[in-house]
């Protein structure tokens, strides 16, 4: 990869090849948007099913595991999925380049989902292993390519680009959890796993067919090039060292965020399945069906419109990529209409336990533009303050769950808590996430030198790996803690730790500002 491709916006022929901007952003951003969307569809679609599949009795197609064993496997799987990106970032920096790494990772992930679909014990574990390996190559490097679309002086558009990219992440998670979760719970576990694989294949193909739009962006860096040293990493050595310290602090602080946030796929899913009143009849059932219809069809329509904008921007130059996207959206529309029609035909609605997971993604899509406007026009504090606010909001979400669980007797295996507690918790968690995750990705792209960009994104995900494993391990104690004390006490653990971490990080604002040397 030439240095100018990595550190500055391409010019001349490269711009012509890339086509015009879309929504004020490079058209190539939306190729990455949709590629990441389908990868997240597959990841979160399968993740939504994993714990429920493992704890469901064998007579209903599951494996009949204990809650503790299921959450421990969940923590190990998600932890490794976020550990391998540090290796994937290194491979991209040293060997393949970011673009080839993304492509190879996508097809490995797809192979993993196919193995999960085969519905045997050996293929299940092989499938998990392949998804872990593929995610390691895919996850850090597609985030790095987003940063490479902008010049180092174009930080405003870069922040907006990461916010839009993050909306793609959550659009994929929304439809993955909604459709894979519904099909897995209502029809067949292995069909839910298999659907995740279909969209990963389409996502990888779409990225491959769009490769000519990127020119040399994402190619392997020539480490012997003097241009690389002078243009890409032109800050003094002590400034680079200080900025890397800031990256390390930001990354380490995410451990306290994700270890609690990732209860969404573990203890919060169990709380939804066994302790939440999900049966709706009469007017309440009809209201839910209408809300669910709007939540499903409005995002699908907006994404279809965005696909049309991408088609107009790229024309016929990457027609195979656009055709692949059109096929994917045709499947999405067909499945959504089938799912909604099936629910309207039923007299009684039982909200799937996995449905609550879509609230996070739905709130992201709704709130991300508002947060972007907040940062740009009204209140734009430094990174440590944004991170601290995010951690505190996360803790408050678990305080809401602790309040909702206050009436559950110690050791109870079932209860009928109102759905509103989970809904409000997910809203607060989402607001916290918008203060942490897209902000962190943007800061890494601004603070890390180009030659270490993939590695630094890998380090970011390494800390997420530690957090995911910790979250699964602590979540495995849900039965012991709730029996010895209460379910409220269990959720208060995830209130106290993030709030304390957030206050510490906000107190570090002066030293973090010195380390960042003017990067805001």
């Amino acid at each position: 990869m030439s240095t100018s491709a990595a550190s500055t916006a391409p010019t001349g022929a490269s711009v012509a090849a890339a086509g015009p901007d879309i929504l004020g952003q490079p058209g190539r951003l939306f190729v990455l948007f949709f590629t990441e969307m389908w990868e997240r569809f597959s990841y979160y679609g399968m993740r939504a099913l994993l714990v429920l599949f493992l704890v469901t009795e064998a007579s209903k197609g599951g494996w009949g595991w204990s809650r503790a064993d299921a959450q421990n496997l969940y923590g190990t799987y998600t932890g490794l999925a976020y550990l391998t990106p540090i290796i994937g970032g290194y491979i991209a920096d040293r060997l393949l380049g970011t673009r080839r790494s993304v492509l190879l990772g996508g097809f490995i992930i797809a192979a993993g989902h196919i193995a999960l679909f085969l519905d045997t014990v050996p293929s299940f574990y092989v499938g998990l292993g392949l998804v872990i390996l593929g995610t390691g190559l895919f996850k850090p490097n597609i985030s790095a390519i987003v940063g490479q679309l902008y010049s180092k002086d174009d930080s405003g558009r870069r922040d907006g680009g990461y916010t839009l990219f993050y909306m793609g992440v959550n659009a994929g998670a929304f439809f993955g959890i909604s459709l894979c979760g519904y099909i897995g719970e209502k029809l067949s576990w292995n069909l839910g796993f298999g659907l995740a694989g279909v969209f990963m294949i389409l996502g990888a193909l779409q990225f491959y067919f769009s490769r000519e739009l990127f020119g040399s962006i994402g190619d392997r860096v020539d480490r012997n090039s003097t241009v690389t040293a002078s243009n890409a990493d032109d800050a003094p050595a002590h400034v680079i060292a200080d900025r890397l310290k800031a990256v390390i602090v930001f990354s380490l602080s995410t451990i306290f965020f994700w270890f609690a946030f990732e209860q969404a796929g573990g203890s919060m899913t169990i709380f939804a399945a066994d302790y939440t009143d999900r049966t709706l009849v009469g007017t309440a059932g009809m209201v839910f069906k209408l809300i669910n219809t709007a939540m499903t069809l409005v995002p699908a329509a907006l994404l279809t419109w965005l696909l049309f904008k991408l088609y107009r921007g790229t024309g016929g130059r990457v027609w195979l990529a656009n055709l692949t996207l059109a096929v994917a959206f045709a499947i999405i529309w067909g499945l959504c209409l089938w799912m909604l029609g099936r629910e309207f035909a039923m007299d009684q609605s039982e909200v799937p336990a996995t449905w609550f997971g879509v609230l996070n993604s739905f709130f992201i899509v709704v709130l991300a533009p508002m947060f972007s406007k907040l940062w740009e026009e009204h209140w734009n504090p430094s990174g440590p303050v944004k991170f601290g606010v995010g951690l505190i909001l996360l803790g408050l979400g678990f305080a809401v769950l602790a309040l909702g669980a206050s009436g559950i007797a110690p050791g109870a295996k079932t209860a009928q808590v109102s759905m509103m507690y989970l809904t409000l918790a997910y809203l607060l968690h989402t607001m916290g996430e918008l203060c942490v995750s897209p902000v962190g990705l943007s800061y890494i792209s601004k603070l890390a030198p180009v030659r270490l960009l993939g590695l630094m994104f890998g380090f970011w995900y390494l800390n997420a790996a530690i957090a995911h494993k910790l979250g699964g391990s602590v979540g495995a104690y849900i039965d012991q803690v709730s029996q010895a004390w209460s379910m409220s006490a269990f959720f208060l653990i995830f209130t106290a730790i993030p709030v304390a971490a957030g206050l510490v990080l906000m107190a570090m604002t002066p030293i973090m500002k010195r380390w960042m040397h003017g990067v805001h």
Side-chain angles (χ1 to χ4, degrees), residues 51 54-55 63-72 270 479:
V51 169
L54 292 172
V55 301
W63 281 9
W65 283 21
S66 69
R67 291 172 178 176
D69 288 341
Q71 291 209 90
N72 274 316
I270 289 172
D479 287 337

Side-chain angles (χ1 to χ4, degrees), residues 371-402:
F371 270 73
S372 180
K373 191 176 184 66
L374 173 68
W375 304 144
E376 290 175 14
E377 299 183 8
H378 302 290
W379 185 55
N380 190 23
S382 63
V385 174
K386 289 178 181 175
F387 268 54
V389 170
L391 283 158
I392 291 169
L393 286 169
L394 176 69
L396 291 177
F398 281 103
V400 169
L401 286 180

Side-chain angles (χ1 to χ4, degrees), residues 11 63 170 191 206 269 351 368 383 419 509 513:
T11 58
W63 281 9
N170 284 278
L191 285 178
Q206 176 248 337
T269 297
V351 180
M419 292 169 53
T509 298
K513 283 185 174 179

Side-chain angles (χ1 to χ4, degrees), residues 112-456:
H113 287 294
I114 291 170
L116 289 169
F117 168 73
L118 295 178
D119 199 22
T120 68
V121 173
S123 66
F124 179 83
Y125 288 107
V126 169
L128 290 182
L130 288 172
V131 173
I132 288 166
L133 293 175
T135 302
L137 284 169
F138 187 100
K139 190 68 179 164
N141 295 309
I142 196 165
S143 299
I145 295 174
V146 173
Q148 293 166 2
L149 299 179
Y150 305 90
S151 70
K152 59 184 178 181
D153 300 320
D154 197 10
S155 61
R157 280 216 309 168
R158 184 198 304 259
D159 288 353
Y162 270 108
T163 299
L164 282 170
F165 178 73
Y166 204 67
M167 288 175 68
V169 169
N170 284 278
F174 175 87
F175 285 106
I177 295 169
S178 177
L179 295 174
C180 295
Y182 185 88
I183 290 172
E185 278 194 78
K186 303 287 188 179
L187 297 182
S188 164
W189 298 109
N190 66 309
L191 285 178
F193 291 136
L195 181 64
V198 169
F199 283 94
M200 188 64 254
I201 293 170
L202 291 172
L205 288 173
Q206 176 248 337
F207 184 70
Y208 174 75
F209 293 140
S210 301
R211 63 193 183 281
E212 69 179 67
L213 297 178
F214 291 88
S216 58
I217 291 176
D219 287 348
R220 186 173 66 87
V221 175
D222 181 2
R223 295 178 171 272
N224 297 318
S225 169
T226 57
V227 180
T228 297
S230 62
N231 286 355
D233 304 329
D234 54 1
H238 75 281
V239 172
I240 292 176
D242 281 349
R243 287 176 175 171
L244 288 177
K245 291 177 190 174
V247 170
I248 289 170
V249 172
F250 280 133
S251 299
L252 289 174
S253 69
T254 62
I255 293 176
F256 301 98
F257 186 88
W258 295 119
F259 113 97
F261 185 90
E262 278 303 311
Q263 296 306 305
S267 62
M268 289 176 70
T269 297
I270 289 172
F271 187 78
D274 296 337
Y275 298 94
T276 301
D277 183 5
R278 298 181 287 114
T279 301
L280 302 174
V281 296
T283 302
M286 181 56 66
V287 169
F288 171 76
K289 290 172 184 176
L290 293 172
I291 292 174
N292 192 41
T293 298
M295 285 178 59
T296 302
L297 296 186
V298 171
L302 290 173
L303 291 167
T304 304
W305 171 79
L306 191 57
L307 169 62
F308 179 70
K309 297 283 287 186
L310 179 63
Y311 173 76
R312 292 191 64 183
T314 56
R317 283 165 293 151
V318 289
W319 67 271
L320 274 174
N322 291 325
L323 177 62
T324 303
L325 276 175
V327 169
F329 272 91
I331 298 172
I332 287 287
W333 275 102
L335 288 173
C336 287
L337 294 173
W338 165 81
M339 176 182 70
L340 295 171
R342 189 173 186 266
E343 285 300 300
F344 271 102
M346 295 181 180
D347 294 329
Q348 176 176 294
S349 292
E350 183 180 56
V351 180
T354 53
W355 180 86
F356 294 93
V358 310
L359 291 173
N360 171 242
S361 303
F362 177 77
F363 289 142
I364 285 280
V365 174
V366 171
L367 295 176
M370 300 179 192
F371 270 73
S372 180
K373 191 176 184 66
L374 173 68
W375 304 144
E376 290 175 14
E377 299 183 8
H378 302 290
W379 185 55
N380 190 23
S382 63
V385 174
K386 289 178 181 175
F387 268 54
V389 170
L391 283 158
I392 291 169
L393 286 169
L394 176 69
L396 291 177
F398 281 103
V400 169
L401 286 180
L403 177 63
S406 60
I408 300 175
K413 294 298 183 183
T414 60
Q416 295 291 299
V417 175
S418 169
M419 292 169 53
M420 294 307 299
Y421 290 101
L422 269 173
T423 302
L424 182 55
Y426 273 111
L427 175 61
L428 289 166
H429 289 183
T430 301
M431 294 169 66
E433 183 181 2
L434 283 167
C435 294
V436 172
S437 195
V439 171
L441 294 174
S442 182
Y443 267 107
I444 291 174
S445 73
K446 291 186 284 189
L447 292 169
V450 171
R451 69 178 186 272
L452 297 176
L453 195 57
L455 188 62
M456 287 298 99

